[in-house]
Amino acid sequence: MNREELGGFLRSRRSRIQPTEVGLAPGPRRQTPGLRREEVALLAGISVDYYIRLEQGRGPHPSDQVLTALGRTLRLTADEHDYLLRLADHSPARVGPAREVPANVRRLLDRLTDVPAMVVNACYDVLAWNSMLVALIGDLSERPPRERNTLRWLFGDQATPADKLQLARKCVADLRATGRYPGDADIRALVDDLKERSPHFAELWAARDIEVQRTLTKHMTHPIAGPIELDCDFLPIAGADQRLVIYTAAPGTPSHEALQRLRETYA
């Protein structure tokens, strides 16, 4: 059980809940934002001492019932509740991020000739891609394996571009939601490196936002196709702990026409 991270996560979620949201009076002289520890314990039906020890990283192993009560009290989302369970070892432990892409998935990539697509693991390493992704962002085979990582691209500079702030928040929340940090050496190394290189990443990581990414929107300007807005869908690959990422645009839109031009140009 990751007691330190469990305590930090509980503190961060407690601080965002206002007393009035859970039927409590605001009360005078609140020195910290959000609920008091005593209030969380009362609402969750556990002792104050027990909850304090959980936040301080020295508590006992919480039961399913306690975690469920805390999740309800702190108004956790489904993704956040899953993360809480993993922190308390209530989900099976996973091995490190897999790098071998199944043959059937590679065949699927080759058949996706109209849209850019790639396979990423839990570290956001790009493991495989199709020809349309090459047309969109360039040939990844020309980059060292370490640099085939979408988070390193996103936080490569000291300052994150303004048009990518929301995307950056979502990606960091997704990385945190895997529940692998700090137990997985690869993800721990990635996080430590990005925290050192990017103050913005360090700030987002410290916020402990949790949100599994399923669909998001990306904006970019291609040197040939011009401005493009793409829907990015993350599709889990069964049994591989990887995701197939597909970029699409609605038919009839300028972005869809831009993808068609890319296909014709780089075919």
Side-chain angles (χ1 to χ4, degrees):
M1 181 171 110
N2 190 342
R3 285 182 169 82
E4 181 180 357
E5 179 60 23
L6 176 64
F9 182 65
L10 290 174
R11 290 192 301 272
S12 70
R13 300 306 92 171
R14 173 169 63 86
S15 68
R16 71 179 185 179
I17 303 296
Q18 298 304 312
T20 54
E21 296 180 59
V22 292
L24 298 175
R29 298 182 180 177
R30 285 186 175 266
Q31 298 179 349
T32 58
L35 297 177
R36 298 187 176 101
R37 290 169 171 171
E38 295 81 359
E39 293 167 337
V40 174
L42 174 66
L43 293 169
I46 59 179
S47 75
V48 176
D49 179 67
Y50 181 85
Y51 180 73
I52 289 176
R53 284 186 288 142
L54 282 179
E55 276 204 7
Q56 291 178 343
R58 56 185 182 88
H61 197 290
S63 66
D64 283 331
Q65 292 81 1
V66 168
L67 294 173
T68 297
L70 288 173
R72 181 178 62 251
T73 299
L74 298 174
R75 300 196 167 191
L76 301 185
T77 65
D79 292 339
E80 290 171 334
H81 189 260
D82 287 346
Y83 181 67
L84 180 66
L85 291 177
R86 287 194 293 271
L87 289 177
D89 289 340
H90 283 252
S91 289
R94 303 187 217 179
V95 298
R99 301 194 67 85
E100 187 63 32
V101 179
N104 62 310
V105 177
R106 289 187 177 275
R107 290 195 295 270
L108 176 60
L109 275 176
D110 290 339
R111 294 182 65 85
L112 294 173
T113 58
D114 293 330
V115 294
M118 63 184 179
V119 175
V120 300
N121 62 10
C123 278
Y124 276 74
D125 294 322
V126 182
L127 307 177
W129 54 91
N130 65 358
S131 58
M132 277 294 287
L133 190 79
V134 174
L136 184 66
I137 66 172
D139 190 355
L140 296 183
S141 65
E142 298 178 353
R143 303 190 187 191
R146 173 183 166 84
E147 296 304 322
R148 299 173 196 166
N149 182 284
T150 60
L151 286 177
R152 293 188 186 279
W153 304 340
L154 189 56
F155 294 99
D157 300 322
Q158 286 293 308
T160 305
D163 61 340
K164 290 184 169 55
L165 293 177
Q166 183 66 5
L167 173 62
R169 187 200 68 79
K170 287 179 173 290
C171 289
V172 175
D174 181 74
L175 181 67
R176 172 75 83 168
T178 66
R180 294 176 177 272
Y181 181 87
D184 185 280
D186 290 337
I187 289 185
R188 186 172 65 250
L190 175 66
V191 169
D192 290 346
D193 185 40
L194 291 177
K195 284 197 297 184
E196 183 177 349
R197 293 170 54 184
S198 170
H200 186 220
F201 177 87
E203 177 184 350
L204 292 173
W205 186 256
R208 288 185 169 87
D209 286 341
I210 306 296
E211 183 181 355
V212 174
Q213 292 311 308
R214 299 172 177 90
T215 301
L216 51 81
T217 301
K218 286 190 175 183
H219 299 82
M220 63 180 301
T221 300
H222 191 275
I224 293 178
I228 307 178
E229 178 181 298
L230 298 174
D231 293 323
C232 179
D233 293 291
F234 293 76
L235 308 178
I237 298 173
D241 200 18
Q242 299 167 352
R243 288 180 289 182
L244 176 64
V245 185
I246 302 178
Y247 299 88
T248 61
T253 63
S255 295
H256 184 259
E257 295 174 359
L259 285 181
Q260 290 180 316
R261 289 197 299 274
L262 282 180
R263 184 187 179 194
E264 294 168 356
T265 302
Y266 291 94

